[in-house]
Amino acid sequence: MLFGLLAWTICSLTLGLAAYLLFPYFRTERSSLNLCVFLFLLIFFSTAYPFTFGLLGLLRPLPMTLVSMFSLLMFALFKPTRGRLLELPDQLRSGFQSALDWWVGLPRWLRGLTTIFVAVGALRFGFLIFALPPFIWDSLTYHLTNVAEWIQRGRIELFETSVVRIFNAANYEILALWFAVFIGHDVVIEMAGIPAYLLACVSVYAICRISAFSRPASLAASLAFASTPALILATTATKNDVHMAAYYLASLAVILELASERQSSARKNVLGLIGLLIILVFYALGTKAYILHLLPGLLLGALLGGRSSVQGRIRRWRSLTKDGLTQFLDLSFALRFVFILLLVLGVFLGLYWNVRNWVLTGNPFYPYGVAVETEQVFEGAGKVIPLRFSRLIQNLKSLYEKFGDRAALIAADLPETTGWGWVSYGLGLVALAWGLVRRRSIRVLAVVFSLSFLILYMSTRPSPWNMRYAIWFPALFAVALAAMYDWMSTISPGVFRAMLFLLAFSLGANVLITLNYGRIPLDQFRRMLELSTLERDAARMHVTVPNQYETALKMVPQDDLLGYNVHDNGFIYPLYRADFAQRLVFVALAEVNNCADVVRVMDQAGTKWLFIWRADYEKASILLSCAEVGVLDHVREGLYALEEE
Amino acid sequence: MRSKKSERVEAAILLGLSIFLTAVYTYWQGAWFSAAVRNQLGTGLLDLLF
């Protein structure tokens, strides 16, 4: 563990310095956007680095650390990078001074509120990350199953299992690797959502500043969005929705900055912003394909941003492209090469999963089929993702039932709720209605968000949990709140103060309701806290995972190969154990018709153990009958072992 | 150009609406939350007693 921590520190330092060295490519004159850029570069490198090692079959702490140390040496020896590194202390000092000036310039009450919010948020995140193992359904079926299997193999590749969703695009899973591969344990794997949470909140701040709202109003909006229950719950849920929210909002901030007419395009870092936008969108595509549904909204934002006529805006984008090209040609050959390399890496990370699926199955979106209205475009493995107007109607009806979060308690996975929370449904709704009438920038954003939302929900299945795909939407309420904040602060001090009290109350209520995930019983908390931090296995917390996982792991020696067969939406991850020590093998039962077949498939898989959970009823009956005649030992519920001959 | 007075009235109406909607939301979601807390505390107390 100590070597792992050291290796993680060295590799993180290397990636941090690489982000610093490449930061000038994307630097803008807006500090909030610069923070977005830096956060995204850290996320991007923390994905690209293990991804490269994973594809080469070298996903182990030692090779990653050796390459990092070599890179650090190169940074120090290579003259241009050494020069930049020598500037680092001055850069840090001036950055700290700017942050301090920004902080001192804020109203005292807002500083107080921010301090409390950040402190409570950090304590809450920290406590939940360390106290509880991963427990969200999809994580335990495929997200973290990929992570565990890749760590065991030291290689990123497909493997045979019953859950076909392991084919899904998996940039999030690779980022999650960064939080587990070095220490060989999942104790902090929930942290993989934190960088995206920060990026989403800073992006909201940047969108507000680009829309010309004041710093205090923008910070209030950012806090409002940061407190959204759906967002907070998703952050440590070991899923990719918070990442999608972050990349959508960051892309929108970049587009609005490009479209803004505040300064001439020649003075902007157009090349850097366009490059960043390309990498962001592709990276999001490699995280979850629904960025394709959100793109039309973003494109509309590009057309509607700024104040000139439509023709003027089209002319502006032409001129931006031209300026970007000129800025590219002005770069030295070496810098051009590095810039193109970054773009290629971004595109590769974006397209890898879909291209792989296309090559292997003939469908880039496998396991999902794709249909537009009634026409099937790609065949999948069961589920079809359509683009249908009728589905939108179903989803809007479903949204009506969830609207106001009146049907259920907000919990992780958002069953029957939107999870938008107190600020959105109180101040946010009113601010949005006001902003639609009084502020053009809010009208533009409302159209952008609505278009993305409507197209997304032409495809999404109208399930009780489907609002988790739209956790970026409350950002619209937050930005509208910033507009109303600025206006109210100049109109009526009394009303403004009352609004601030209401905001503070709403933030507090949002945080209060998410202290727990809304579904962890106290006895499970107590049980987890009684275990040492490293013993908190996903199999031991019985919120979604049934008891038989824990009992099975008690019976099967850690060094034995454990065969399993779960249904196509069943949990696999808990069987790996928290330290990824248990090796697993999928035992296919499809061809099994009698006890001889059972023995044969288990022998072929090389295991004497077979764990089943919600397997096919007929096959489960065969296993039971094999236990009755003494071919198998029915060790515990769901666990069988081959009888010794 | 609107007068300052009409803007102040508008601000007061917006505040009133916000308070009303916050109260409605608290009634809906707060009820679920307090029920969950009551259930949890109840279970916890039973555990302690028996």
Side-chain angles (χ1 to χ4, degrees), chain A residues 114-314:
Chain A
T114 308
T115 306
I116 294 169
F117 185 86
V118 170
V120 172
L123 281 174
R124 179 195 166 277
F125 278 138
F127 174 71
L128 291 177
I129 286 168
F130 281 101
L132 302 179
F135 67 95
I136 299 288
W137 193 292
D138 286 357
S139 291
L140 304 180
T141 55
Y142 70 102
H143 289 299
L144 297 184
T145 300
N146 265 330
V147 174
E149 191 67 32
W150 293 339
I151 286 178
Q152 283 191 350
R153 292 175 181 230
R155 180 184 291 278
I156 291 171
E157 61 185 352
L158 272 173
F159 49 93
E160 196 189 357
T161 179
S162 50
V163 177
V164 284
R165 285 194 289 170
I166 59 152
F167 276 87
N168 283 1
N171 280 356
Y172 161 72
E173 284 84 332
I174 300 189
L175 184 66
L177 274 174
W178 188 255
F179 293 85
V181 69
F182 294 101
I183 54 175
H185 200 283
D186 72 359
V187 61
V188 291
I189 204 162
E190 294 101 324
M191 276 178 74
I194 302 276
Y197 174 77
L198 295 175
L199 178 60
C201 298
V202 178
S203 298
V204 168
Y205 183 90
I207 290 169
C208 290
R209 295 292 291 143
I210 294 162
S211 306
F213 303 137
S214 68
R215 286 185 178 128
S218 304
L219 180 59
S222 190
L223 289 179
F225 182 64
S227 79
T228 304
L231 185 78
I232 294 182
L233 293 172
T235 298
T236 45
T238 51
K239 288 178 65 176
N240 51 19
D241 298 305
V242 66
H243 286 261
M244 293 305 290
Y247 309 140
Y248 177 75
L249 294 170
S251 301
L252 182 59
V254 172
I255 284 174
L256 293 177
E257 175 71 358
L258 278 167
S260 143
E261 289 148 7
R262 195 174 57 104
Q263 53 188 216
S264 72
S265 62
R267 284 195 60 222
K268 281 184 188 172
N269 181 2
V270 175
L271 175 67
L273 286 174
I274 290 178
L276 180 70
L277 187 61
I278 292 170
I279 298 175
L280 259 169
V281 171
F282 273 99
Y283 185 90
L285 179 65
T287 305
K288 207 153 188 168
Y290 71 68
I291 190 69
L292 296 173
H293 295 85
L294 307 182
L295 267 182
L298 291 175
L299 292 174
L300 194 66
L303 275 183
L304 295 179
R307 293 201 153 265
S308 51
S309 64
V310 176
Q311 286 91 340
R313 284 180 214 128
I314 293 172

Side-chain angles (χ1 to χ4, degrees), chain A residues 30 40 59 76 155 195 207 220 245 286 330 470 499 550 555 587 632:
Chain A
R30 194 180 292 284
F40 177 68
L59 191 66
R155 180 184 291 278
I207 290 169
D330 287 345
M499 188 192 100
E550 183 177 1
M555 301 307 298
V587 178
L632 291 176

